[in-house]
Amino acid sequence: MSAIRINGIRVGHQMFHCRQYPEGSASGDLLTHSLARNKLNLPCIGLEHTDFGHALSCCLEGEVPSGHPEQAVCMISVYPHGSKSATLGYLLALFGRHGIPFLYMVSSNAMISFVVNQAEKARVLTMLEQTFDLPPTHTPYEPSFQEETVEFVKKRYQETRAYFQEKRIKTYGFSLASGLELICVSCGRDGLEVAGTAIQDLDARFDFGMAMVHGETCHFYCLTRAETKVSLPAEQSTAFRVESGTADLVTFHGPHFGDRFGIFNAAAVCLDVAGLDLTLAGCTGASVSLVLPEGQGEVSLPALEKGFETP
């Protein structure tokens, strides 16, 4: 197959990874609550509902809260994905083929973001550059300022970062897609290439994709608009668990969402107060995606509007 054409690759500055396991956590007691109280920005979040509660991974900018190990990570995003399952699956298979571990993956309406250990950054960039069809003008990968300069600017000129939270957070509006097909594939790290190829072969539009890694096991989720079936090689099918169902997806974005603290937390609180539970959630850049059980998407909109302002 010919190289997939994309517009670019975005590399975030150094961040730290925080993880919340469902065991021992009270219902609705998310790590994002305490991080929001500490005014810590979370540029990338992945959340899944498990049999034991919610598992959450996030990147934070700023000082790591006590009790959490400092794990230096980097967020690397490919854009645009064109809502093509071929691009989403190809990326997953690519990480599996090269044996490069990642902590979690989240998509937005434009980007697919992988969070990797800082030590893996150069290897991931080399892999992506050699695989995708990038425009000649796509240089450099890194932001234009050096890390030290960026940190100085943030501290000296805080207006370059949106360190505030409104009583009702302004958004550009909510988008609801109901009755989507939700596919979940669980496998070991060594099965990522096969799982990614199966998603790639769906040849469908996807609205949201996410992957969470638990030790040596990866849970991959994909929301599509048509009934689809993941086909795995018969000789390997026992190494995978494939589940499907239906779900609703609410997405929204707003001014400086990628730079501000407490955005996702405000949405989670609104849903919790209304007695609604998240199946999945993801944030990357300025976009927030909330996956709810089928039929709860419509109910979630008035609940969210108690904390968010729409045009």
Side-chain angles (χ1 to χ4, degrees):
M1 113 178 230
S2 58
I4 297 175
R5 182 163 182 78
I6 58 171
N7 287 353
I9 299 169
R10 179 182 296 178
V11 183
H13 294 287
Q14 179 171 299
M15 303 170 190
F16 294 99
H17 178 233
C18 277
R19 177 76 185 269
Q20 182 180 35
Y21 295 95
E23 296 83 358
S25 299
S27 177
D29 182 21
L30 293 177
L31 173 64
T32 53
H33 298 342
S34 60
L35 297 179
R37 284 194 295 269
N38 291 328
K39 300 184 178 181
L40 290 170
N41 181 37
L42 306 176
C44 191
I45 299 173
L47 177 145
E48 64 176 338
H49 183 81
T50 72
D51 293 339
F52 304 100
H54 287 110
L56 183 145
S57 279
C58 61
C59 291
L60 62 87
E61 294 178 322
E63 186 176 348
V64 179
S66 60
H68 293 275
E70 288 194 7
Q71 184 177 14
V73 296
C74 179
M75 182 173 70
I76 299 177
S77 306
V78 170
Y79 65 92
H81 51 62
S83 299
K84 298 176 181 177
S85 64
T87 303
L88 180 66
Y90 187 77
L91 273 165
L92 192 69
L94 192 63
F95 274 83
R97 187 179 313 129
H98 286 261
I100 300 178
F102 62 89
L103 298 166
Y104 61 106
M105 178 275 289
V106 179
S107 79
S108 70
N109 61 334
M111 296 192 304
I112 299 173
S113 300
F114 285 84
V115 175
V116 300
N117 286 320
Q118 188 73 16
E120 298 285 1
K121 179 171 72 173
R123 194 153 70 113
V124 172
L125 290 178
T126 298
M127 175 184 72
L128 296 176
E129 182 181 27
Q130 293 176 349
T131 304
F132 285 90
D133 181 8
L134 287 158
T137 55
H138 181 69
T139 55
Y141 291 115
E142 300 287 355
S144 56
F145 290 120
Q146 295 296 323
E147 296 285 350
E148 295 81 3
T149 305
V150 171
E151 288 305 313
F152 170 78
V153 171
K154 288 180 188 176
K155 292 177 181 178
R156 178 65 179 84
Y157 303 104
Q158 289 203 9
E159 63 271 21
T160 65
R161 302 284 289 181
Y163 285 115
F164 65 91
Q165 186 176 41
E166 305 119 321
K167 188 172 182 181
R168 288 182 70 218
I169 301 168
K170 293 183 176 64
T171 75
Y172 297 131
F174 294 101
S175 176
L176 170 64
S178 301
L180 299 180
E181 182 82 1
L182 174 59
I183 300 168
C184 173
V185 181
S186 300
C187 62
R189 286 183 184 271
D190 57 355
L192 283 175
E193 183 176 3
V194 173
T197 300
I199 297 297
Q200 183 180 346
D201 292 342
L202 288 177
D203 191 27
R205 169 193 168 92
F206 79 93
D207 286 76
F208 178 64
M210 193 182 81
M212 297 281 282
V213 177
H214 307 277
E216 293 300 314
T217 301
C218 178
H219 297 166
F220 177 75
Y221 302 91
C222 182
L223 273 170
T224 70
R225 297 199 174 213
E227 186 175 342
T228 51
K229 184 177 180 180
V230 173
S231 297
L232 296 164
E235 68 275 11
Q236 300 186 41
S237 59
T238 56
F240 298 82
R241 189 178 86 245
V242 180
E243 299 175 328
S244 62
T246 50
D248 293 349
L249 173 67
V250 175
T251 56
F252 64 100
H253 59 284
H256 297 285
F257 269 20
D259 297 333
R260 292 165 57 185
F261 68 90
I263 304 295
F264 169 77
N265 188 65
V269 169
C270 286
L271 296 179
D272 187 54
V273 168
L276 303 174
D277 197 13
L278 285 166
T279 300
L280 303 169
C283 309
T284 180
S287 296
V288 180
S289 300
L290 308 171
V291 181
L292 300 103
E294 185 180 16
Q296 291 192 15
E298 192 72 43
V299 183
S300 73
L301 297 181
L304 290 167
E305 287 175 358
K306 292 182 179 180
F308 294 85
E309 182 179 319
T310 58

